[in-house]
Amino acid sequence: MAKNKENIRNFSIIAHIDHGKSTLADRLLELTDSVAKRDMTSQLLDDMDLERERGITIKAHAVKLDYKADDGEIYELNLIDTPGHVDFNYEVSRSLAACEGAVLIIDASQGIEAQTLANTYLALDHDLELVPVINKIDLPAADPERVAAEVEDVIGLDCSVAPRVSAKTGENVHQVLERIVADVPPPEAEDNAPLRALIFDSVYDNYKGVIVYVRVVEGTLKAGEMMKMMATGAEFNVVEVGYMRATGLEPCDVLSAGEVGYITASIKTVRDAKVGDTVTKTQWAAEEALPGYRKVNPMVFCGVYPADGADYEALRDALEKLQLNDASLTYEPETSGALGFGFRCGFLGLLHLEIIQERLEREYNLDLVTTVPSVVYKIHLRDGSIVEVDNPTHYPDVAEIEFSEEPVTNAHIYSPPDYVGAIMDLCQDRRGVFKDMTYISKDRVDIHYELPLNEIIYDFFDVLKSRTRGYASFDYEISEYRRSSLVKLDVLLNGDIIDALSFIIHTDKAMARARRIAERLKENIPRQMFEIPIQIAIGSKVIARETVKAMRKDVLAKCYGGDITRKKKLLEKQKEGKKRMRQFGSVEVPQEAFMAVLKLEEN
Amino acid sequence: MRGLYIHIPFCKSKCSYCNFYSFVPDNNQRDSYLNAVLSCIEKWSEKNLSFDTVYFGGGTPSFFGGERIAAILKKSRACFEISPKAQITVECNPSSVDEKLFRELSSAGVNRISMGMQSSVSKERKALSRFSEKEEIETAVKLAKENGISDISIDLMLGIPFQTTESLNESLDFLFSLNITHVSAYMLKIEEGTPLSENTNAFVFPDEDSVCDMYLHTISRLSEKGFFQYEISNFSKPGFESRHNLKYWLCEEYLGIGPSAHSFLFGKRFFYKNNFQSFLSGEEPVFDEEGGSEEEYIMLRLRLNRGLSQKDFKKRFQKSFSPGMISLAKDFSEKGFMSFDGETMKLTSEGFLISNYIISKLIEE
């Protein structure tokens, strides 16, 4: 069974969002005849609807391609796709750790972007051989030579032989395969050793249980053997091993060192097959796990409630199902006076939050209300203890607090120089601390700021995009917790605190935000039979106030003859509208009012 | 007994706020329409219907001409049973009436006129693109009376451009000077698609609070002069209610003839499409839905000052008010929007102003 490991190439494709990663992957599949042309739907690797729509890859996937190279030899190419967003950096790093090389795609019109660099650094951290590819040469604005020069300058990669391709039309894509064969080294792999296989992804399948995607670093694994997860200690009897093909799973007898493949073992939850963990065998176990495993902690939390209380069970089932496939999603039951029964959910970042929310609404047909996202604050109490607060409801009494800390990120924004002023204004406004600014080329600047995480979790990226007409890109990583001056704002309607609207904010921003929220609520709460005071308070001190005047007029002056049916329908519509309202004490608040407060975009 | 409605889809010119189905006819459209109405009446004759109210609405029936209206009435009497005491109303525009018209109407049996004035203040009328002069209104009323039609209703509008409480008083005083029997006072609703809705920036409208105050003011001034409110927007001297319109609010039946005319007959609601040509070609009406549901009944009865009584409700639906409805009614009563003595629910003037809200709450229960 001695396979020729010299002919194995394990590689990833890395790129900034929209630089054409999935399209190139599709072309590689076609060129290696891994999938018949007629079966190709565009972007085959992104098989979740949402991914295809958003054009981003959320979960990593892998596929094995057989390629007959120009030298006449057959090569086994293992393409490990990586998620393309900062929220999933850890997953990216595990996928990269499973490879010896990476294809780095750069858009021939846009050049280097934030995630181009972020991913390049990640790849270099893993000692990967980089294969630069300049894509989208079919675009009218394409300038491959300028971009090649930029890559040589900024990254220091020789681009003289870098393929200039159009993944869309297929032009020159063949060269990419040749470069992979020539430049990416084969794995250094020893079959005769205790098994160590790196889990770079796992997905739940209704029939097989969890399918664990691994890169075998050393040793071999067969069906029937007992395997063990080194981080969790869980043991399983291997049911099946095999390769991922573009068209489905292909069982094999044995997975050996250097190969990429899958394992099934009747594993019930992805939590038992965590990304980054090392698989070994119970008999002849490895002494040491592969480096780099880390428990992923959610960074952003929010309350998720069914709009209709009757959907609570359905929401719980849906979260349970999503969690089967997403070890980084956390949830626990939470009760809100305002919203009833729901869940406190934890996410890797805002995109992750949005994806989950959208999947719940779309795939599970749930109508949701979510509360303001919060980061995890560390509150140091006078008694010397530290509490971690991700829910404003649990914010301790002010009198007990010695001081508070909030997470701060290292953020890099890449943009044409024209927008530097606008970007710096935005960062300054978001309590950013300027670190430095580097011209990576004459029309590309890297602006480095320290930004508090709570300033970027709701709308930072949207605002950045709009202020730079979409030209800026953005990347961040959490750097540390830092002492900060925080307060909790409460929203009171008709004198009652609406717990779901409370949030934690920096003292300097409290006043402006409070006013804005009060205004927004006033605009969005319809007049009711009595006057409704809206108050925003810190503790017992009201810092902003608005009033929704009592409703005086809501009448059909003219009602006869013909349109009785129509008038009745009008009233029924009004009745329907009321159903979408939430009753808080005596006040009815439409869902839109919540949304308006949550999405306080700037004007 | 049922009511008969005849829609006349013609106007001399379109008013800026109006969204009823009407247009400016060319030469022979009026005659071809007359024939279509006559044959439509003929079609219905086999149902042996009897009516005690007839109402010509529009559009501008006065612009259709007295002879044609007389012809329709004659045909109706031949095909239906029209009660000798029937209230027969014709809507008139002061700009399209003369002595001859009233003579013809009167001799055809018309005994009630409803006239659009909207305001006695010229600037306000013009903003609504109503071009008749105040004096023409006076003359029209006088002519109607001289020809034996003394049951006269005048339309007044609240919340129109430039209107203030002072100018409203002027309109009310003018109205009182006409010595009439009935007033309809509507708060202007800017309907989508009307010229006014596309032109709201051209005018200064009174704000919502002022309109509410005008409404309350109108109710009290009318009542001082002996016009009692019997519906949200309708007032009359005792015994001079619009019996035809009352049928709508009492959830009784009626037949409507003409494009866009709706009917409630044999328990069903249906209507003729608002398409002139398809009416001329004799197209059948379109079924809308079963009529007379509880919700409809509650919605309509609460528009009336006499309100919604437990007794009538029980008689019609063989059941009492739901506990939810009763507790809501009590709640609204405490807040001054309703009176409820355990038997009858009646909205107060403040209640009328937010009747959509109240009714939609009640029918939810």
Side-chain angles (χ1 to χ4, degrees):
Chain A
M1 63 152 269
K3 268 194 182 166
N4 187 359
K5 297 193 196 298
E6 282 302 310
N7 284 6
I8 298 177
R9 299 290 182 273
N10 297 321
F11 70 102
S12 283
I13 304 179
I14 55 180
H16 186 73
I17 285 179
D18 276 348
H19 280 195
K21 191 173 71 173
S22 301
T23 317
L24 181 67
D26 284 353
R27 288 296 94 76
L28 299 184
L29 261 54
E30 263 176 33
L31 274 182
T32 53
D33 295 326
S34 298
V35 49
K37 262 226 162 126
R38 65 188 144 76
D39 290 339
M40 287 291 295
T41 50
S42 163
Q43 306 190 358
L44 199 75
L45 280 180
D46 293 348
D47 59 10
M48 284 193 242
D49 281 353
L50 203 69
E51 293 183 12
R52 204 165 295 155
E53 241 167 70
R54 293 192 158 211
I56 51 168
T57 316
I58 299 161
K59 295 283 287 181
H61 296 266
V63 63
K64 182 178 162 193
L65 317 171
D66 296 324
Y67 175 59
K68 187 171 184 214
D70 293 355
D71 62 11
E73 299 246 2
I74 308 265
Y75 289 86
E76 171 184 334
L77 306 185
N78 290 304
L79 163 57
I80 299 175
D81 202 12
T82 56
H85 190 274
V86 286
D87 283 357
F88 305 97
N89 252 344
Y90 175 68
E91 267 104 336
V92 177
S93 83
R94 291 308 84 202
S95 294
L96 296 178
C99 302
E100 278 77 38
V103 171
L104 172 66
I105 306 181
I106 309 110
D107 182 314
S109 66
Q110 295 188 329
I112 293 173
E113 295 282 354
Q115 283 138 30
T116 315
L117 278 184
N119 286 322
T120 300
Y121 294 140
L122 268 176
L124 294 175
D125 283 350
H126 292 95
D127 291 327
L128 300 193
E129 187 64 37
L130 286 178
V131 178
V133 170
I134 296 168
N135 187 23
K136 302 201 188 181
I137 55 167
D138 56 306
L139 290 184
D143 187 352
E145 295 323 305
R146 177 184 63 82
V147 169
E150 195 174 286
V151 173
E152 290 185 1
D153 277 3
V154 179
I155 306 177
L157 270 180
D158 177 11
C159 283
S160 55
V161 291
R164 275 73 162 158
V165 311
S166 165
K168 198 169 134 202
T169 66
E171 189 179 352
N172 297 340
V173 171
H174 166 77
Q175 292 177 20
V176 177
L177 291 167
E178 286 299 313
R179 297 287 2 137
I180 292 168
V181 168
D183 296 345
V184 176
E188 287 171 24
E190 179 51 58
D191 285 343
N192 192 16
L195 173 70
R196 292 205 294 174
L198 171 69
I199 303 178
F200 60 85
D201 197 6
S202 60
V203 298
Y204 183 82
D205 178 277
N206 280 334
Y207 303 103
K208 296 176 187 275
V210 176
I211 301 170
V212 188
Y213 291 1
V214 294
R215 153 72 195 271
V216 183
V217 177
E218 294 173 311
T220 60
L221 184 67
K222 278 190 246 190
E225 293 181 310
M226 282 299 284
M227 70 174 193
K228 180 179 169 185
M229 306 297 183
M230 293 186 76
T232 62
E235 296 191 15
F236 301 94
N237 189 9
V238 176
V239 173
E240 187 178 297
V241 295
Y243 305 115
M244 285 76 78
R245 290 296 193 172
T247 46
L249 300 177
E250 178 188 285
C252 68
D253 294 337
V254 59
L255 277 183
S256 54
E259 288 189 310
V260 173
Y262 71 89
I263 309 168
T264 64
S266 304
I267 304 171
K268 297 219 166 38
T269 142
V270 287
R271 231 160 303 279
D272 285 330
K274 287 188 168 151
V275 169
D277 200 351
T278 304
V279 179
T280 190
K281 283 194 271 201
T282 310
Q283 309 284 323
W284 204 20
E287 308 227 322
E288 241 180 275
L290 295 163
Y293 173 74
R294 142 164 96 83
K295 196 167 173 272
V296 186
N297 292 318
M299 296 306 300
V300 175
F301 290 80
C302 78
V304 176
Y305 292 82
D308 180 351
D311 287 339
Y312 176 79
E313 294 293 327
L315 174 59
R316 192 180 56 197
D317 291 349
L319 283 167
E320 204 174 291
K321 289 210 180 85
L322 286 180
Q323 208 187 35
L324 284 177
N325 245 331
D326 185 345
S328 41
L329 167 70
T330 66
Y331 66 93
E332 55 185 54
E334 175 183 79
T335 317
S336 148
L339 298 175
F341 293 104
F343 298 92
R344 191 80 191 162
C345 298
F347 308 94
L348 295 175
L350 200 64
L351 178 81
H352 190 210
L353 181 157
E354 281 177 15
I355 289 167
I356 296 293
Q357 195 179 333
E358 222 170 301
R359 292 189 65 184
L360 287 170
E361 291 186 337
R362 205 187 293 197
E363 293 170 30
Y364 296 90
N365 232 337
L366 292 163
D367 205 358
L368 302 175
V369 182
T370 52
T371 64
V372 186
S374 172
V375 303
V376 183
Y377 297 98
K378 290 185 179 165
I379 315 286
H380 296 249
L381 301 180
R382 290 196 193 281
D383 65 8
S385 62
I386 303 172
V387 284
E388 293 198 352
V389 174
D390 65 58
N391 184 345
T393 316
H394 302 145
Y395 197 73
D397 192 273
V398 185
E400 294 172 25
I401 301 174
E402 179 76 37
F403 66 94
S404 312
E405 288 181 310
E406 65 174 327
V408 175
T409 67
N410 245 323
H412 287 269
I413 298 162
Y414 295 79
S415 162
D418 308 1
Y419 302 107
V420 168
I423 292 166
M424 291 180 76
D425 285 349
L426 171 63
C427 292
Q428 226 60 47
D429 182 52
R430 298 302 176 95
R431 299 190 285 125
V433 176
F434 178 77
K435 299 308 280 184
D436 54 53
M437 182 163 90
T438 335
Y439 273 77
I440 51 180
S441 70
K442 78 175 192 326
D443 42 18
R444 207 96 198 125
V445 190
D446 166 8
I447 306 165
H448 178 193
Y449 264 91
E450 279 179 357
L451 283 165
L453 183 63
N454 84 352
E455 294 285 345
I456 53 181
I457 54 171
Y458 1 78
D459 59 351
F460 182 83
F461 194 54
D462 293 340
V463 178
L464 178 69
K465 281 276 176 200
S466 77
R467 289 204 188 172
T468 61
R469 298 187 185 179
Y471 281 114
S473 58
F474 168 63
D475 193 35
Y476 69 89
E477 59 187 12
I478 309 279
S479 59
E480 60 173 349
Y481 269 80
R482 195 173 291 170
R483 198 164 162 153
S484 178
S485 170
L486 302 169
V487 287
K488 178 186 155 196
L489 288 189
D490 289 320
V491 176
L492 293 85
L493 292 182
N494 210 19
D496 298 327
I497 291 187
I498 308 302
D499 56 2
L501 290 178
S502 298
F503 58 95
I504 297 165
I505 190 170
H506 192 265
T507 318
D508 294 349
K509 310 208 109 187
M511 189 60 98
R513 177 67 67 84
R515 282 206 200 102
R516 188 114 182 78
I517 286 187
E519 282 164 18
R520 274 311 193 83
L521 282 170
K522 184 188 173 178
E523 287 162 18
N524 283 280
I525 296 177
R527 288 180 167 204
Q528 286 162 45
M529 285 169 55
F530 44 85
E531 202 172 271
I532 305 162
I534 300 168
Q535 296 160 300
I536 317 293
I538 300 173
S540 57
K541 191 175 148 219
V542 173
I543 61 166
R545 191 193 159 96
E546 290 282 347
T547 305
V548 179
K549 291 211 293 181
M551 164 173 57
R552 279 204 70 191
K553 184 167 162 274
D554 180 11
V555 56
L556 303 166
K558 230 173 194 167
C559 175
Y560 45 64
D563 19 20
I564 279 165
T565 305
R566 194 170 67 92
K567 307 277 188 210
K568 196 184 78 192
K569 286 187 177 142
L570 213 90
L571 287 184
E572 277 165 0
K573 222 165 117 194
Q574 200 156 345
K575 194 171 87 180
E576 276 303 302
K578 286 208 180 67
K579 279 200 185 135
R580 287 195 296 272
M581 303 262 240
R582 290 257 164 194
Q583 185 88 31
F584 298 129
S586 48
V587 182
E588 284 172 331
V589 181
Q591 217 125 281
E592 299 83 70
F594 273 89
M595 295 323 289
V597 174
L598 299 184
K599 303 234 163 183
L600 270 185
E601 82 272 17
E602 307 190 344
N603 289 338
Chain B
M1 286 268 241
R2 299 188 171 102
L4 173 64
Y5 176 82
I6 312 284
H7 188 73
I8 309 296
F10 306 122
C11 284
K12 208 170 174 180
S13 65
K14 265 311 256 189
C15 300
S16 63
Y17 58 91
C18 171
N19 73 334
F20 286 104
Y21 180 69
S22 74
F23 56 92
V24 181
D26 61 30
N27 290 335
N28 44 27
Q29 275 180 326
R30 278 180 280 194
D31 284 323
S32 48
Y33 185 64
L34 173 63
N35 290 330
V37 171
L38 296 181
S39 53
C40 183
I41 289 173
E42 180 113 27
K43 270 200 220 167
W44 282 104
S45 66
E46 64 187 57
K47 303 277 183 193
N48 292 323
L49 297 166
S50 45
F51 300 106
D52 64 352
T53 65
V54 183
Y55 197 104
F56 290 86
T60 313
S62 55
F63 178 59
F64 190 50
E67 288 170 17
R68 294 191 187 92
I69 290 173
I72 291 174
L73 279 171
K74 191 175 161 206
K75 184 76 177 180
S76 303
R77 289 198 169 90
C79 296
F80 308 127
E81 192 193 324
I82 306 285
S83 142
K85 287 185 172 171
Q87 187 189 55
I88 303 177
T89 308
V90 174
E91 286 183 346
C92 293
N93 187 313
S95 68
S96 57
V97 299
D98 53 20
E99 160 98 56
K100 179 171 166 275
L101 172 87
F102 288 121
R103 212 169 46 229
E104 285 162 356
L105 292 183
S106 181
S107 59
V110 173
N111 51 25
R112 187 171 181 272
I113 293 295
S114 170
M115 195 135 46
M117 172 182 91
Q118 323 312 356
S119 163
S120 74
V121 179
S122 169
K123 189 179 171 191
E124 295 173 9
R125 277 202 314 279
K126 297 240 154 70
L128 300 173
S129 58
R130 297 196 59 104
F131 299 109
S132 48
E133 291 304 325
K134 187 167 138 186
E135 292 69 29
E136 292 178 81
I137 300 164
E138 268 171 332
T139 313
V141 171
K142 192 167 141 265
L143 285 175
K145 286 184 186 167
E146 281 171 8
N147 284 282
I149 306 176
S150 54
D151 190 357
I152 297 174
S153 175
I154 297 276
D155 284 358
L156 183 69
M157 266 196 167
L158 309 177
I160 56 183
F162 310 117
Q163 198 172 39
T164 61
T165 312
E166 289 72 43
S167 77
L168 174 61
N169 273 330
E170 205 180 312
S171 292
L172 284 163
D173 288 335
F174 177 73
L175 211 144
F176 297 141
S177 75
L178 296 173
N179 198 14
I180 50 170
T181 51
H182 187 280
V183 175
S184 297
Y186 301 110
M187 285 168 276
L188 171 67
K189 180 162 181 267
I190 299 174
E191 301 281 357
E192 242 175 87
T194 57
L196 189 63
S197 73
E198 281 145 28
N199 244 325
T200 48
N201 292 334
F203 302 112
V204 184
F205 288 86
D207 65 26
E208 192 177 301
D209 277 330
S210 314
V211 178
C212 292
D213 292 339
M214 286 179 196
Y215 176 72
L216 300 176
H217 180 72
T218 304
I219 293 174
S220 85
R221 283 217 61 195
L222 283 170
S223 112
E224 282 165 21
K225 295 284 179 180
F227 290 93
F228 296 102
Q229 186 178 25
Y230 66 98
E231 194 258 358
I232 290 183
S233 308
N234 286 281
F235 305 80
S236 79
K237 297 271 173 72
F240 288 94
E241 292 93 351
S242 167
R243 277 159 45 201
H244 184 80
N245 286 345
L246 266 175
K247 290 192 194 298
Y248 299 132
W249 303 315
L250 290 169
C251 218
E252 291 174 1
E253 295 200 329
Y254 50 92
L255 169 64
I257 286 174
S260 86
H262 287 241
S263 300
F264 176 30
L265 201 61
F266 308 121
K268 296 187 172 19
R269 293 196 181 273
F270 55 87
F271 60 93
Y272 287 99
K273 277 198 257 173
N274 57 356
N275 181 314
F276 188 67
Q277 283 313 323
S278 66
F279 186 78
L280 287 195
S281 66
E283 209 175 291
E284 295 296 315
V286 182
F287 173 72
D288 199 343
E289 60 175 6
E290 299 292 323
S293 65
E294 269 174 59
E295 279 147 13
E296 231 176 66
Y297 186 75
I298 294 170
M299 163 182 112
L300 294 167
R301 284 299 293 254
L302 283 174
R303 299 185 64 86
L304 294 170
N305 284 58
R306 66 173 89 165
L308 169 65
S309 79
Q310 174 90 271
K311 199 177 101 210
D312 291 349
F313 187 78
K314 242 187 202 161
K315 204 163 118 194
R316 191 161 178 137
F317 300 105
Q318 287 78 49
K319 62 179 192 183
S320 311
F321 295 153
S322 71
M325 232 176 116
I326 289 173
S327 90
L328 261 176
K330 283 185 178 151
D331 193 37
F332 286 129
S333 299
E334 271 167 38
K335 295 190 169 100
F337 295 108
M338 204 181 218
S339 75
F340 180 52
D341 55 8
E343 167 58 27
T344 306
M345 298 180 185
K346 294 179 195 170
L347 297 187
T348 60
S349 304
E350 292 281 0
F352 279 142
L353 276 170
I354 57 165
S355 50
N356 284 353
Y357 177 83
I358 295 177
I359 293 168
S360 67
K361 279 288 223 187
L362 285 170
I363 60 183
E364 212 173 320
E365 292 300 327

